[in-house]
Amino acid sequence: MSIEAILKQDIQKAIQQRFDISAEDIILQPTKKEFEGFYTFVTFPLAKSTRKAPAEIGQIIGNYLKNNSLVVDNFNVVQGFLNINLKDSTWLNLFDQILSDTAFGTFPANGQSVMVEFSSPNTNKPLHLGHLRNNFLGDSLSKILEAGGYDVVKTCLVNDRGIHICKSMLAYRELGNGETPESSGIKGDHLAGKYYVKFDIEYKSQIRELVAQGMPEDEASKKAPWMLEAQQLLLSWENGDPETVALWQKMNSWVYEGFSETYNKIGVGFDKTYYESNTYLLGKDIIEEGIEKNVFYRKSDNSVWIDLAEEGLDEKLVLRGDGTSVYITQDLGTTELKNNDYHNNRYLWVVGNEQDYHFKVLFAILKRLGRQYAEGCYHISYGMVDLPSGKMKSREGTVVDADDLISQMIQTASDRTQELGKIDDFESKEANQLYNQLALGALKYFLLKVDPKKRMLFNPEESIDFQGHTGPFIQYTYARIRSIMRKAEQSGIEGKLPSANYEVHKAEKELIFMLSQYPARVLSAAGDFAPSVISLYAFELAKVYNQFYAEVSIFSDPDPEAVQFRVALSKVVSETIRKALGLLGIEVPERM
RNA sequence: GGUUUCGUAGCUCAAUUGGAUAGAGCACCUGACUACGGAUCAGGAGGUUUGGGGUUCGAAUCCCUACGAGACCA
């Protein structure tokens, strides 16, 4: 049993014996820094049932613990807060438990399988900052859920067809002059994006022309020649016109090559990729089924609808009058397909909060249709990334391109490292690897430290910071410990637990306490789908270690037991940092 | 217009889900045994948690309201 569980049980006994009340869940919180102790029990809730003052209750329970609990050393009471200190032997015990747990922080398989869909790019433009938040979240969550005991399937649904793709195809056909990634030296996804922008420029000028001729603007935007042509191209594609399909395949293959380069660079991958071009026709049979079951109904124009007023939602179109799909139709079909393919217990979608309503509708429909798997469906809704100038808009060219950003970060990592001159003996390959680790560490940490649900601001100047609350700060702490480990090995010092009468230093207790929290944080991150929980933990652990490091001397302590103990502590901290950052998709360097 | 999310130090974010004197980082000041890695550590300053009501032992957190920002549905 864990120390914390023992402590809770002892408190429960205290309440039972002293007040004759059976307390259900005992909740302990970490004691605030300005007070003495490590665990705090709040006694206010017991005031009513015991008819005693909170401070008195604290005294009574505290005294009981001091006399009867095997783990408690002493206590103090401030108002209704009972602050508890553990015995030195208990601290050593706690550390021993951590030390001997080879799978510390990872949980055995829980028999649950979960599918995480994320990334889901469009093939008409390269990835930008918003995609990075999505990718990092999805990737990190998959790792966290795995550590939490789930069997995880990572999937990606590529939006590879539709009017937007046809726009870049059209612009390329008209203005491309046979340009290729090879001939132009432009990365494939950026090349496609270039023509998407060209379409928009030409299209807008066509609208202006029509408006100048006296046509109202909304009509002009529908009747501009290139818009009509793009729609024509979409029809040709749907009819399988060989020329159109060939162009589509050619451009998409460029994009995929570009994407895979970026995915490799950021270390993200998938177990299964679905393509919308294969799934966009799915869902229509489900519409038929829904009509038969009277879940859906037809309107006079032949369109099909569902009324979700009972769920507090609106009336929602599920199939157009001309029989063509809308987004929700495809999603119904794709979800059914996923379930047929994998039969998972849970289906998660990492998608921006702009689609909150869409997913509410999707899940509500699945429930109405009686799909069992609907219970396991969940939208991991995350906030948009804003810039100091406001929202990113691709049409206004204010997007932060993912590839550009990564290159900039690598450059900064390289400059900063060379300035410090600590790795002058590195081969250039080693050095480049380090710059990559630092650049991605900084970027991933920056995007993952914020609660996913909240929208966040991306300030380019702050994000490239390598000091303070950043990925490189934590990486630095790791590298520093590795340096200590090398020294310990050289001098033949082995890390081990001291004898039972060892007097545990305050800084050592702080470290053990932080370490002991790790497994609970993993579970909490998995439960809340929040990598930020792990991010903050890694930072706190690194900070506590740096305080420890400044406060005590590891190698020059006269007591050899202290030296060995601190080496052991340092080692576990480094491993825990490596694991925690690993859950964020961040690598750790031996030196930096 | 309807629905919905949010508003915390100058800036970016926390606050163990209703608990103590609301905490970190950046930026700004002051300091750190000639030191096991200074990409670090210690300290200072910085707050009416958007305003106003309410609920209770106790509110940044829950309810109402005003203002401000975002998103979605047409």
Side-chain angles (χ1 to χ4, degrees):
Chain A
M1 201 187 326
S2 77
I3 305 288
E4 208 168 312
I6 293 172
L7 192 52
K8 286 180 182 177
Q9 208 175 59
D10 288 346
I11 292 174
Q12 228 158 4
K13 277 188 210 159
I15 295 169
Q16 178 71 51
Q17 301 202 2
R18 291 292 181 265
F19 306 118
D20 200 24
I21 292 170
S22 61
E24 354 40 278
D25 268 359
I26 301 295
I27 296 166
L28 292 174
Q29 43 185 303
T31 303
K32 295 214 172 203
K33 272 199 308 219
E34 58 263 46
F35 299 99
E36 179 69 24
F38 284 89
Y39 299 89
T40 294
F41 177 68
V42 182
T43 63
F44 291 97
L46 290 173
K48 248 180 205 156
S49 46
T50 59
R51 297 186 173 192
K52 288 191 192 309
E56 192 189 347
I57 300 169
Q59 283 295 338
I60 293 170
I61 298 176
N63 274 316
Y64 176 94
L65 291 177
K66 192 170 179 181
N67 295 324
N68 298 286
S69 171
L70 294 173
V71 299
V72 173
D73 182 30
N74 56 47
F75 71 96
N76 65 82
V77 178
V78 182
Q79 296 171 47
F81 298 88
L82 170 62
N83 303 318
I84 299 163
N85 244 318
L86 301 180
K87 292 179 181 171
D88 281 3
S89 62
T90 308
W91 286 113
L92 294 178
N93 243 320
L94 188 50
F95 183 59
D96 190 30
Q97 281 181 13
I98 295 169
L99 210 52
S100 56
D101 183 354
T102 51
F104 183 61
T106 59
F107 292 80
N110 62 11
Q112 294 275 307
S113 63
V114 54
M115 177 181 283
V116 184
E117 181 190 299
F118 65 101
S119 194
S120 304
N122 291 330
T123 58
N124 65 332
K125 54 189 171 201
L127 303 179
H128 64 243
L129 183 56
H131 293 115
L132 288 182
R133 188 178 197 194
N134 181 303
N135 279 283
F136 295 161
L137 278 173
D139 182 57
S140 173
L141 268 172
S142 303
K143 293 183 160 101
I144 290 168
L145 290 169
E146 249 163 43
Y150 287 89
D151 187 14
V152 177
V153 184
K154 292 183 285 185
T155 61
C156 173
L157 174 61
V158 182
N159 188 343
D160 63 342
R161 52 130 255 143
I163 189 71
H164 49 292
I165 315 290
C166 291
K167 288 177 181 175
S168 33
M169 281 161 60
L170 173 62
Y172 177 79
R173 196 182 69 191
E174 300 302 320
L175 308 170
N177 291 320
E179 192 179 27
T180 66
E182 291 74 30
S183 75
S184 62
I186 301 176
K187 198 161 159 279
D189 48 339
H190 289 262
L191 189 63
K194 174 178 155 186
Y195 285 99
Y196 187 67
V197 172
K198 280 184 187 260
F199 172 92
D200 203 54
I201 293 168
E202 174 61 22
Y203 172 52
K204 282 207 173 113
S205 99
Q206 290 178 359
I207 294 175
R208 275 198 301 277
E209 218 167 287
L210 290 174
V211 170
Q213 287 165 19
M215 192 182 280
E217 188 158 351
D218 54 335
E219 191 185 345
S221 67
K222 284 176 193 153
K223 292 200 172 157
W226 271 31
M227 179 50 83
L228 297 175
E229 219 165 319
Q231 279 162 351
Q232 195 53 46
L233 208 52
L234 182 59
L235 275 178
S236 306
W237 181 87
E238 285 181 3
N239 294 328
D241 171 55
E243 209 175 308
T244 309
V245 170
L247 176 60
W248 172 76
Q249 272 169 342
K250 182 164 77 175
M251 291 186 75
N252 269 355
S253 74
W254 295 341
V255 172
Y256 293 140
E257 210 165 303
F259 280 171
S260 83
E261 197 182 315
T262 305
Y263 282 133
N264 276 334
K265 209 155 44 182
I266 62 178
V268 168
F270 308 95
D271 302 311
K272 166 80 180 172
T273 302
Y274 289 102
Y275 295 90
E276 209 184 289
S277 53
N278 293 326
T279 62
Y280 81 105
L281 292 174
L282 296 177
K284 290 190 185 182
D285 46 345
I286 295 180
I287 302 299
E288 285 306 317
E289 177 195 333
I291 293 173
E292 276 168 34
K293 287 185 174 171
N294 284 324
V295 174
F296 303 144
Y297 53 89
R298 255 184 222 286
K299 288 197 175 175
S300 55
D301 66 349
N302 213 33
S303 57
V304 182
W305 295 74
I306 182 168
D307 183 3
L308 294 168
E310 268 177 51
E311 285 85 349
L313 306 166
D314 297 320
E315 208 181 15
K316 180 81 189 172
L317 176 77
V318 293
L319 195 69
R320 291 203 190 90
D322 61 5
T324 57
S325 300
V326 290
Y327 257 106
I328 204 92
T329 329
Q330 297 178 37
D331 277 351
L332 287 167
T334 310
T335 309
E336 185 95 340
L337 175 68
K338 284 171 165 183
N339 188 56
N340 289 339
D341 285 352
Y342 288 94
H343 299 96
N344 287 309
N345 300 94
R346 303 214 61 183
Y347 297 90
L348 309 178
W349 284 259
V350 181
V351 176
N353 63 11
E354 54 199 350
Q355 297 201 40
D356 284 356
Y357 186 77
H358 174 81
F359 279 101
K360 275 186 196 163
V361 170
L362 176 65
F363 301 155
I365 295 177
L366 287 171
K367 275 177 198 161
R368 286 273 193 101
L369 288 167
R371 292 296 189 275
Q372 294 268 307
Y373 60 77
E375 297 300 324
C377 290
Y378 187 77
H379 172 206
I380 297 171
S381 165
Y382 66 90
M384 300 286 101
V385 183
D386 289 332
L387 301 175
S389 56
K391 215 188 140 145
M392 278 195 286
K393 287 181 182 148
S394 49
R395 289 190 186 143
E396 290 171 22
T398 56
V399 286
V400 176
D401 179 74
D403 293 316
D404 290 351
L405 180 60
I406 293 165
S407 317
Q408 277 173 32
M409 297 292 286
I410 290 173
Q411 187 58 48
T412 309
S414 157
D415 292 348
R416 184 89 181 103
T417 304
Q418 281 169 26
E419 205 177 291
L420 293 171
K422 294 182 187 175
I423 60 150
D424 293 344
D425 58 320
F426 271 31
E427 305 276 335
S428 71
K429 196 180 153 195
E430 265 181 302
N432 284 330
Q433 190 196 352
L434 173 64
Y435 303 151
N436 272 294
Q437 287 176 336
L438 294 177
L440 284 169
L443 192 53
K444 287 186 180 184
Y445 195 86
F446 186 85
L447 290 172
L448 289 175
K449 74 175 176 185
V450 181
D451 183 339
K453 291 193 286 294
K454 297 193 174 170
R455 63 192 252 245
M456 63 178 293
L457 194 109
F458 181 84
N459 187 324
E461 281 145 43
E462 273 174 35
S463 60
I464 57 173
D465 212 334
F466 285 30
Q467 290 174 30
H469 190 182
T470 65
F473 167 87
I474 305 166
Q475 290 172 314
Y476 169 78
T477 309
Y478 179 84
R480 206 186 205 188
I481 300 176
R482 290 305 303 156
S483 159
I484 290 168
M485 289 303 129
R486 285 190 294 272
K487 181 168 177 181
E489 270 167 46
Q490 273 169 16
S491 2
I493 297 168
E494 219 180 312
K496 55 170 127 146
L497 212 65
S499 51
N501 58 359
Y502 179 82
E503 196 178 321
V504 186
H505 193 283
K506 181 82 193 296
E508 293 161 348
K509 292 179 187 174
E510 302 275 7
L511 263 187
I512 295 171
F513 181 75
M514 268 312 291
L515 285 170
S516 74
Q517 299 294 314
Y518 180 60
R521 298 287 188 107
V522 172
L523 282 188
S524 142
D528 290 346
F529 306 121
S532 58
V533 170
I534 301 296
S535 311
L536 294 174
Y537 175 79
F539 175 65
E540 283 168 35
L541 178 61
K543 212 164 54 156
V544 171
Y545 184 82
N546 283 327
Q547 286 161 357
F548 160 87
Y549 181 91
E551 204 171 326
V552 306
S553 171
I554 293 174
F555 291 113
S556 50
D557 195 291
D559 178 6
E561 277 206 317
V563 175
Q564 290 177 319
F565 180 38
R566 286 166 193 169
V567 166
L569 260 173
S570 299
K571 186 166 187 225
V572 178
V573 171
S574 73
E575 281 163 3
T576 307
I577 286 178
R578 182 172 50 72
K579 285 181 195 173
L581 288 185
L583 293 182
L584 304 174
I586 296 174
E587 294 177 5
V588 285
E590 287 297 302
R591 289 173 53 194
M592 64 185 270

